[in-house]
Amino acid sequence: MGLSNTKRIEKQLKEAYFEIQEATVDRVYEFNFKVWFKGVLEDCMLTEFEENLICVPSYDRDEQRKNQRNGFYQRTLQTVLGLIEDLRVPRPRVGGFTPSVFEKYERRQKNINKLITECFWRGISTRDMTHVVHQLTGVHVASSVVTRLTKKWDVQASLWHKRPLSDDYIYLLLDGVWIKNRSLGKKRRLVLVAYGVKSDGSREIIDYSLSQSESEVNWQKFLTQLIVRGFKGKNLKLIVSDGCKGLGNAIDLVHPDADHQLCWAHKMRNILNYVKKVDQEEVKKGLQPLFGKDAITKKEKAVTLIWKWQKKWRPIYPQAVKCLERDLERLLLYFKCPKEHHRALRTSNHIERQFKEFRRRLRSMEMLPNKDSAERAMYALTQIRNEKLGAYPLEITQNYLH
């Protein structure tokens, strides 16, 4: 009999326990934490207001009173529980009052803003930003907030384009690259890029400019602006470009004393345009000793090799041979530089390597909607590339120049 009573009591206790547990859970989930937190914040602000500015209880007339109430104003605040609206903040009659709670959450908001900026720079699309930031901080961020934050780069980008430049660059690589731009329909937007290497081995994207074409006028304007900012080119040993006629003319005008090396990669493509597809590998193979790891390092040997190549292919593809002969002197200027730099200076492909990352990032943004967004994206990505380039070893070698 005692055993059955014990079991009955145990059963009643279990039922009571689960009933209490269920009621507690329901009460917790029904509780509006945001409203409660809003009340706590308003009480804290009112207490701080009275202690620091009023110094005496409400409605008391006392000589110690420093200030008087002047009602309340409302503002919103982003908190761990989300956005709290219509928060009542006490207003003094004289002077201002900034509750310490705002300073705390403003510091937190600055950290969130910094996180958003860093994520955007590192290639996370605006669409994915809300999810990433929410997972890391518990705060919901609208895409409009990301846009507003990135717009602040307009001033920074403008200052960066106007910053003073040193005249320590010994190598200058120039090229025009294309990015997608929705404002132009299915067309793309051209970016003129200057990439420099200093005597200590440090390298960077010096500057870029959104442009309509690679005309002589546009390139001349771009290069002249670099001179105005301090890059006179007095220490330049070599300028490397892709053979664009407008760019070549601009270089001759702006840096007439600098050697101008033409890009072998672009020249080979031009040569092969005059060669049947079936013979293209054979034609390329004849010039292959000029490139690669064990490439020819002396100009005399290179000239001998090219002479033999010309003799072989002139009867079959005279236009291909003429294409090479037309710019031969400018294709061999890199031999004036140290042999460990040859591999890096034969082409302007280093700019293309930098822009691989740009295109990867821009793909996540689909197409840039307008010129301003293109400028902001270009500025952010340029800072990332320069940050990475600055972290590389400073020795100038064929492995580290790009």
Side-chain angles (χ1 to χ4, degrees), residues 159-188:
L159 292 173
W160 185 79
H161 284 304
K162 295 174 183 176
R163 78 193 191 285
L165 299 174
S166 72
D167 201 20
D168 297 335
Y169 298 98
I170 59 173
Y171 300 134
L172 176 65
L173 287 77
L174 301 169
D175 202 358
V177 294
W178 295 88
I179 59 175
K180 292 181 179 179
N181 194 204
R182 195 186 308 155
S183 64
L184 301 177
K186 292 184 178 180
K187 294 182 181 179
R188 298 175 296 168

Side-chain angles (χ1 to χ4, degrees), residues 185-316:
K186 292 184 178 180
K187 294 182 181 179
R188 298 175 296 168
R189 186 173 290 280
L190 177 67
V191 185
L192 308 181
V193 187
Y195 177 91
V197 183
K198 296 183 179 180
S199 56
D200 64 356
S202 59
R203 48 225 170 277
E204 64 176 338
I205 297 173
I206 303 172
D207 205 356
Y208 63 86
S209 176
L210 299 178
S211 181
Q212 296 296 327
S213 69
E214 285 196 83
S215 67
E216 178 182 335
V217 173
N218 289 335
W219 272 114
Q220 185 179 347
K221 180 181 177 183
F222 179 54
L223 294 175
T224 302
Q225 287 175 346
L226 300 184
I227 289 179
V228 170
R229 289 161 55 194
F231 179 20
K232 309 293 184 184
K234 293 180 180 178
N235 297 307
L236 269 179
K237 293 182 180 178
L238 199 66
I239 298 176
V240 185
S241 79
D242 61 0
C244 167
K245 188 176 180 181
L247 173 55
N249 292 339
I251 291 172
D252 291 341
L253 286 169
V254 180
H255 294 292
D257 299 326
D259 286 336
H260 178 195
Q261 165 75 34
L262 295 184
C263 172
W264 265 102
H266 287 82
K267 177 54 70 174
M268 282 302 300
R269 285 197 284 271
N270 293 338
I271 291 171
L272 294 178
N273 285 336
Y274 298 101
V275 178
K276 291 179 181 178
K277 196 168 184 180
V278 68
D279 292 327
Q280 285 184 358
E281 281 302 316
E282 184 85 17
V283 170
K284 273 174 70 176
K285 191 176 179 181
L287 296 173
Q288 201 61 42
L290 292 171
F291 318 115
K293 228 176 181 181
D294 302 318
I296 293 172
T297 57
K298 297 199 177 209
K299 184 178 178 181
E300 296 77 15
K301 288 186 178 181
V303 171
T304 302
L305 174 79
I306 292 170
W307 180 81
K308 290 179 180 178
W309 180 89
Q310 290 170 315
K311 187 177 179 181
K312 177 179 179 180
W313 293 109
R314 193 188 304 277
I316 308 171

Side-chain angles (χ1 to χ4, degrees), residues 55 69 100 140 148 224-225 271 295 331:
C55 294
R69 294 175 182 276
S100 58
H140 175 78
R148 176 174 54 80
T224 302
Q225 287 175 346
I271 291 171
L331 286 165

Side-chain angles (χ1 to χ4, degrees), residues 28 48 62 73 127 163 206 219 287 333 342 345 351:
V28 167
E48 185 179 4
D62 193 292
Y73 67 93
R127 289 191 302 269
R163 78 193 191 285
I206 303 172
W219 272 114
L287 296 173
L333 289 172
H342 289 179
L345 298 174
I351 291 177

